[in-house]
Amino acid sequence: METFLIRALQLILSLSLLVIIHEGGHFFFARLFKIRVEKFYIFFDPWFSLFKYKPKNSDTEYGVGWLPLGGYCKISGMIDESMDTEQMKQPAQPWEFRSKPAWQRLLVMVGGVLMNFLLALFIYSMILFTWGDRYTALSDMTMGMKFNEHAQEIGFRDGDILKSADGKELTRFNMDMIRSIVEAREVTVLRQGEEKKILLPELSLLDVAKEDPMFVDVFYPNVVDSVLPDGGFAKVGIQKGDSLVAFNGKEMTSWNEFLDNMAELKAKAELEKKTSAAFTLVYSRAGVRDTVDVQTDDKFKVAVIGGLVDYKQRTLSYGFFESFPAGVALGVNTLKGYVNDMKYVFTKEGAKSVGGFATIGSIFPKVWDWQRFWEMTAFLSIILAFMNILPIPALDGGHVLFLLYEIIARRKPSDKFLEYAQMVGMFLLFGLLIWANFNDVLRFLF
């Protein structure tokens, strides 16, 4: 329950900030061009609001709605999610959106997206300034990587050190590295001191990302680091420095495999309604092998820590002014990766992977971590900017599309057309919202 509350609080705080900045972008340009803003709301307020306040001599009512699906800025003389068609039947007023030149209306509509993108770049810059960029280089991972069965069928081998993908150097273990491998036709690895080239078939990042165990992971040695008293390992005499060789008769070469075997053992025992499990383990000490029967506790644990490896950590530090170009580069690279991955949404498996608020909340850490919180907030700001600029009616991109048509064709679409387009767009968006959260429910249940 505590984990749920921490994640929920982070999600609400992050989305609130992003909504304020996004709608603030619309508000800023509207007021810059002397367009009246009637409402500025965080979250939606159908039927009633949690809080509202209208300053004296102000045209704008500020408030907090009860439906946490975003927020809105109600701009006079504009067909938006409020569907205030009665206002549009009245003669146009000089302070209304529809009375302003197309280029001013265009800036009002892109203001939200622009502010979200700039916010992401600023957050990334401040993250680099505050915490720096800490990572382990692939070249320093001297034990190489651990590859699953699929990767080994392609030609990878445990212990391979990743060098490049289609000639582009692979520097660190992250999503960009996996994306580069999946999209490459040839990957170069260092195997036992020699460079080897591996030809890859056509792969799907979506399929690879779902594989368990992972397509490629850090190689953790199958050596026990510490044994806790009264645990399953301690009871059979296993000590620090022992190597785990086989699990239920199946050979092991890494700690990764031990963890995978333990996960399979637990899943099988739970299906059989058991509260613990036993397995046969072969271990090696000073070159001598022995076989023992290990019993887990009622949480399927054996009280052991292993697979630790002390790779050198590299840290890139940035001064205040140095952090901005680095933050811009990081933000642009994040946007490129997200846009590149969008093609998978239009596949059958991609549609199933779309998630709602539970999925978004799950990307936040289980404990409060400011660095991770700001990283996720910047990432969500990138997503919000990109999704909103898509040329779909009811989104900012839909309004931008119609404004560009007006600029090129030198005539406005009719108000009736814009009303119908808004309704179609809202229908599509609510359908997507329902589908995404329905997927979350299915994942929770099954």
Side-chain angles (χ1 to χ4, degrees):
M1 186 62 180
E2 182 181 356
T3 296
F4 170 80
L5 292 175
I6 291 174
R7 281 178 163 167
L9 181 59
Q10 291 179 91
L11 176 63
I12 293 171
L13 180 61
S14 179
L15 290 183
S16 299
L17 173 63
L18 297 182
V19 168
I20 291 172
I21 293 297
H22 181 90
E23 300 304 330
H26 295 310
F27 183 89
F28 170 78
F29 283 104
R31 300 305 299 133
L32 180 67
F33 301 130
K34 297 181 173 24
I35 300 172
R36 183 173 295 175
V37 179
E38 298 175 14
K39 284 186 172 185
F40 186 102
Y41 264 69
I42 304 173
F43 306 147
F44 293 112
D45 61 327
W47 305 296
F48 69 94
S49 61
L50 299 178
F51 168 82
K52 60 182 178 181
Y53 171 70
K54 188 174 183 178
K56 188 177 181 181
N57 301 323
S58 173
D59 298 315
T60 307
E61 176 183 289
Y62 302 89
V64 178
W66 61 271
L67 190 60
L69 301 180
Y72 70 97
C73 216
K74 187 177 186 307
I75 298 174
S76 293
M78 175 183 170
I79 298 174
D80 57 11
E81 57 269 15
S82 69
M83 295 304 294
D84 189 358
T85 56
E86 290 302 316
Q87 184 185 73
M88 302 302 293
K89 294 176 182 178
Q90 306 301 318
Q93 301 298 322
W95 63 77
E96 289 186 332
F97 178 82
R98 55 180 165 166
S99 302
K100 301 299 179 179
W103 68 270
Q104 291 186 5
R105 286 179 279 134
L106 184 63
L107 284 175
V108 171
M109 294 319 305
V110 301
V113 168
L114 178 63
M115 291 301 291
N116 275 132
F117 188 60
L118 291 177
L119 174 67
L121 300 184
F122 177 75
I123 292 175
Y124 279 131
S125 299
M126 292 300 95
I127 288 172
L128 294 176
F129 171 66
T130 305
W131 290 286
D133 183 9
R134 188 176 176 85
Y135 69 100
T136 300
L138 288 173
S139 58
D140 291 335
M141 294 182 179
T142 53
M143 292 186 180
M145 311 303 290
K146 175 69 181 175
F147 298 91
N148 68 8
E149 185 177 350
H150 180 201
Q152 299 214 27
E153 288 173 355
I154 292 172
F156 292 100
R157 295 292 177 266
D158 289 345
D160 285 352
I161 299 174
L162 296 167
K163 299 283 291 182
S164 64
D166 282 345
K168 179 183 177 182
E169 183 183 8
L170 300 173
T171 57
R172 60 180 77 182
F173 183 79
N174 56 18
M175 197 62 198
D176 285 340
M177 179 207 76
I178 296 174
R179 185 181 295 111
S180 296
I181 292 174
V182 168
E183 296 179 351
R185 299 279 68 86
E186 182 182 84
V187 173
T188 302
V189 301
L190 189 66
R191 183 180 299 165
Q192 297 178 347
E194 294 184 14
E195 285 195 356
K196 302 286 184 181
K197 296 188 182 299
I198 301 170
L199 299 178
L200 272 69
E202 187 172 341
L203 297 171
S204 164
L205 180 62
L206 188 63
D207 292 336
V208 167
K210 290 166 60 178
E211 292 182 4
D212 185 21
M214 294 172 59
F215 184 86
V216 55
D217 198 358
V218 178
F219 186 96
Y220 297 105
N222 56 336
V223 178
V224 174
D225 183 78
S226 58
V227 178
L228 305 183
D230 301 323
F233 269 37
K235 290 176 180 177
V236 296
I238 293 178
Q239 302 174 6
K240 177 179 180 177
D242 290 349
S243 298
L244 309 186
V245 179
F247 189 105
N248 279 344
K250 186 165 63 175
E251 292 286 322
M252 292 187 299
T253 59
S254 69
W255 195 262
N256 311 60
E257 291 170 286
F258 172 71
L259 295 179
D260 291 340
N261 288 329
M262 287 295 295
E264 290 178 11
L265 184 75
K266 177 183 177 182
K268 182 179 179 181
E270 287 179 338
L271 283 175
E272 297 173 352
K273 307 297 184 182
K274 295 180 179 178
T275 56
S276 64
F279 58 94
T280 300
L281 183 74
V282 178
Y283 70 95
S284 174
R285 181 184 302 162
V288 179
R289 293 191 176 194
D290 195 7
T291 303
V292 292
D293 292 320
V294 183
Q295 180 73 41
T296 73
D297 61 19
D298 57 1
K299 295 181 180 178
F300 299 96
K301 303 293 185 183
V302 288
V304 64
I305 298 173
L308 301 183
V309 59
D310 188 22
Y311 288 134
K312 179 177 68 176
Q313 291 281 305
R314 301 189 185 193
T315 302
L316 299 177
S317 300
Y318 296 89
F320 182 75
F321 294 105
E322 292 176 318
S323 68
F324 287 99
V328 169
L330 178 56
V332 170
N333 185 62
T334 302
L335 176 62
K336 285 181 179 178
Y338 183 74
V339 172
N340 179 75
D341 296 343
M342 276 296 292
K343 60 178 178 283
Y344 296 108
V345 174
F346 303 100
T347 65
K348 182 179 179 181
E349 288 300 316
K352 292 179 182 178
S353 69
V354 173
F357 291 107
T359 297
I360 298 172
S362 68
I363 70 176
F364 287 94
K366 296 178 180 179
V367 296
W368 197 280
D369 181 332
W370 279 112
Q371 181 178 356
R372 186 66 175 162
F373 169 80
W374 287 117
E375 288 173 350
M376 292 301 98
T377 299
F379 180 58
L380 290 177
S381 196
I382 291 280
I383 293 175
L384 186 60
F386 175 75
M387 294 300 291
N388 260 286
I389 205 60
L390 292 176
I392 299 173
L395 291 178
D396 295 343
H399 293 286
V400 169
L401 178 66
F402 297 139
L403 281 167
L404 291 176
Y405 166 80
E406 178 184 338
I407 292 172
I408 295 170
R410 297 185 180 280
R411 64 187 182 92
K412 292 182 179 181
S414 69
D415 286 347
K416 187 59 66 176
F417 170 80
L418 292 177
E419 288 176 22
Y420 286 136
Q422 184 75 17
M423 286 189 288
V424 170
M426 290 177 67
F427 176 79
L428 291 173
L429 291 179
F430 277 114
L432 178 61
L433 186 66
I434 293 170
W435 173 254
N437 286 282
F438 177 68
N439 280 343
D440 282 346
V441 173
L442 290 180
R443 292 189 193 101
F444 176 76
L445 294 176
F446 302 109

